Amino acid sequence: MRYMDPAIQERLNAHIKKKGLRNTPQRNVIVEEIFSKDEHFTADELWERVRKTNSGASRATVYRTISLLVEARLLHEIDLGEEVKTYDPNFLDRPAHNHLICVDCGKVLEFEDTHVELLNDCLSKRMGYTPVAQAIRIEASCDQLRIKKSCPNLIKARVEGKRLPRQR
Amino acid sequence: MRYMDPAIQERLNAHIKKKGLRNTPQRNVIVEEIFSKDEHFTADELWERVRKTNSGASRATVYRTISLLVEARLLHEIDLGEEVKTYDPNFLDRPAHNHLICVDCGKVLEFEDTHVELLNDCLSKRMGYTPVAQAIRIEASCDQLRIKKSCPNLIKARVEGKRLPRQR
DNA sequence: CTGATTGCAAATGCTTTGCACGCCA
DNA sequence: TGGCGTGCAAAGCATTTGCAATCAG
């Protein structure tokens, strides 16, 4: 459990003011719910979490708030290779991070790496384009599982009954 | 205009045989349509192209054939940051390519770069995961446009009435 | 007061599916 | 002949939107 970074509230207020929007209790509950954890989520998962707060906020408002936050660049839509859209609330802390997905257990890890910048520079020189943003999804297999034949995440995922990645 | 690589047909036949499936004229028309160009496409764009062949293949069969080809790993779903799914028929030629999207005109360029392999090695050492696949989308601005105030792609895109990227 | 925001339900848009018929092997 | 593949229309599903009521500033 994590408390919401005050910088989020600040930036959101700035956005709201700039756009001539208003403050509402429903929106505040949803924003609080999003940024009180560092978990990735889908719209539906967020709606479930919001519902449990008994704040009365509706599904439509959840969707509208997500759009608002994405527009304000406080929340990012990320590509995890899933069918449904997934959102990531951690870009204020780590603006340049990307995602690694374990093909064995489905666990998502965030990473930052200087090779991404090197790649950007290289493309700039070779292709005549200057990168402004990148979205990298890396699917990888767990070394520990291959070597030791077991991996704590996989065991945990099975115990929790999570849907494991499709096998190839 | 490009002719379809015979290797595609071969691999598709192998997949069909292995799965106990059958050859049909509708499916052949759709496969031919996909691999006769190196263009990325959405299901709906493909359906339009197939319709013009007057082969009588239906929209449902277009969707079913796309699924079949993705499963056979002859076609890849790619992340261009669009709302609708986009498919790329060029992975047999260049299995490790990724995509750069011009934020000015929307043009999509394919690239391969050794830094991606370096990134993979690095993650392997640092995080204990061995990458098996990656999907990289880089958004970049056109240097020529910034320097010369004009870019042939942008002019072309405007003439053709293409929808330009949303401005930020 | 003004108009942004909300909840609800209906609408939307892409994709999948059930079914009966047809066709490949 | 068996059962895979097809077209059609209906269903599914996530997301968006119209509307009237409500509420913030």
Side-chain angles (χ1 to χ4, degrees):
Chain A
M1 182 60 183
R2 182 179 91 159
Y3 292 100
M4 194 170 90
D5 186 337
I8 305 258
Q9 198 54 256
E10 247 173 67
R11 286 210 13 200
L12 181 56
N13 286 339
H15 184 81
I16 283 178
K17 195 165 191 177
K18 194 177 64 183
K19 291 263 174 180
L21 310 179
R22 290 171 187 176
N23 247 309
T24 69
Q26 291 93 330
R27 201 140 68 189
N28 289 338
V29 167
I30 296 166
V31 170
E32 173 67 32
E33 193 56 46
I34 289 174
F35 293 104
S36 66
K37 288 187 168 72
D38 59 4
E39 265 177 40
H40 304 146
F41 59 86
T42 64
D44 207 57
E45 286 164 358
L46 177 59
W47 162 234
E48 276 306 317
R49 286 165 56 187
V50 167
R51 197 144 63 136
K52 285 178 187 152
T53 65
N54 292 315
S55 59
S58 70
R59 183 185 242 113
T61 302
V62 167
Y63 275 101
R64 288 190 271 233
T65 303
I66 288 174
S67 298
L68 181 72
L69 292 171
V70 169
E71 199 194 356
R73 304 191 162 279
L74 287 165
L75 186 63
H76 281 221
E77 191 186 317
I78 58 173
D79 169 32
L80 257 34
E82 299 283 333
E83 288 309 289
V84 276
K85 286 181 190 166
T86 308
Y87 298 92
D88 182 337
N90 307 324
F91 277 87
L92 201 78
D93 289 348
R94 276 158 283 139
H97 78 262
N98 281 288
H99 298 93
L100 183 151
I101 299 134
C102 178
V103 295
D104 299 314
C105 71
K107 189 178 172 71
V108 177
L109 291 92
E110 302 190 343
F111 69 87
E112 294 178 279
D113 194 291
T114 52
H115 286 97
V116 175
E117 290 147 48
L118 294 175
L119 174 63
N120 282 351
D121 293 344
C122 204
L123 291 176
S124 192
K125 289 203 193 80
R126 280 172 49 201
M127 303 178 73
Y129 285 84
T130 303
V132 295
Q134 71 279 128
I136 302 181
R137 167 170 58 87
I138 293 194
E139 294 175 23
S141 64
C142 175
D143 292 341
Q144 213 177 339
L145 177 64
R146 190 169 52 259
I147 298 165
K148 298 192 188 169
K149 307 292 177 202
S150 90
C151 146
N153 295 332
L154 185 55
I155 292 165
K156 185 159 169 279
R158 284 198 181 126
V159 168
E160 291 174 4
K162 285 189 184 160
R163 192 169 55 75
L164 297 175
R166 62 192 177 286
Q167 290 311 310
R168 306 136 197 282
Chain B
M1 182 61 184
R2 180 180 91 156
Y3 293 99
M4 194 170 90
D5 186 337
I8 306 260
Q9 198 54 256
E10 247 172 70
R11 286 209 13 200
L12 180 56
N13 286 339
H15 184 81
I16 283 177
K17 196 165 189 177
K18 193 176 64 182
K19 290 266 175 181
L21 310 179
R22 292 171 187 174
N23 246 309
T24 69
Q26 290 93 331
R27 201 141 67 188
N28 289 338
V29 166
I30 297 166
V31 170
E32 172 68 31
E33 194 56 48
I34 290 175
F35 293 105
S36 65
K37 287 186 167 73
D38 58 5
E39 265 177 40
H40 304 147
F41 59 86
T42 65
D44 207 57
E45 287 164 356
L46 177 59
W47 161 234
E48 276 306 318
R49 285 165 56 188
V50 167
R51 197 145 63 137
K52 285 179 187 150
T53 65
N54 291 315
S55 59
S58 72
R59 183 186 242 114
T61 300
V62 166
Y63 275 100
R64 290 192 268 233
T65 302
I66 289 174
S67 298
L68 181 71
L69 292 170
V70 169
E71 199 194 354
R73 305 191 162 277
L74 288 164
L75 187 64
H76 281 222
E77 191 185 318
I78 56 172
D79 170 32
L80 259 33
E82 300 283 333
E83 287 308 287
V84 277
K85 286 181 189 166
T86 308
Y87 298 92
D88 182 336
N90 307 323
F91 277 86
L92 201 77
D93 290 348
R94 277 158 281 140
H97 78 264
N98 281 287
H99 298 94
L100 183 151
I101 298 135
C102 178
V103 295
D104 299 314
C105 72
K107 189 179 172 72
V108 177
L109 292 92
E110 302 189 344
F111 70 87
E112 294 178 279
D113 195 291
T114 53
H115 285 97
V116 175
E117 289 148 48
L118 294 176
L119 174 62
N120 283 351
D121 293 343
C122 205
L123 291 177
S124 191
K125 289 202 194 80
R126 280 173 49 203
M127 304 179 72
Y129 285 85
T130 303
V132 295
Q134 73 279 126
I136 302 180
R137 167 170 58 87
I138 293 193
E139 293 176 23
S141 65
C142 174
D143 293 340
Q144 213 177 340
L145 177 65
R146 191 168 54 260
I147 297 164
K148 298 192 184 170
K149 307 291 177 204
S150 91
C151 145
N153 294 333
L154 186 54
I155 293 165
K156 186 160 169 281
R158 284 197 181 126
V159 168
E160 291 174 3
K162 286 190 184 157
R163 191 170 55 77
L164 297 174
R166 60 194 179 285
Q167 292 309 309
R168 308 136 195 281

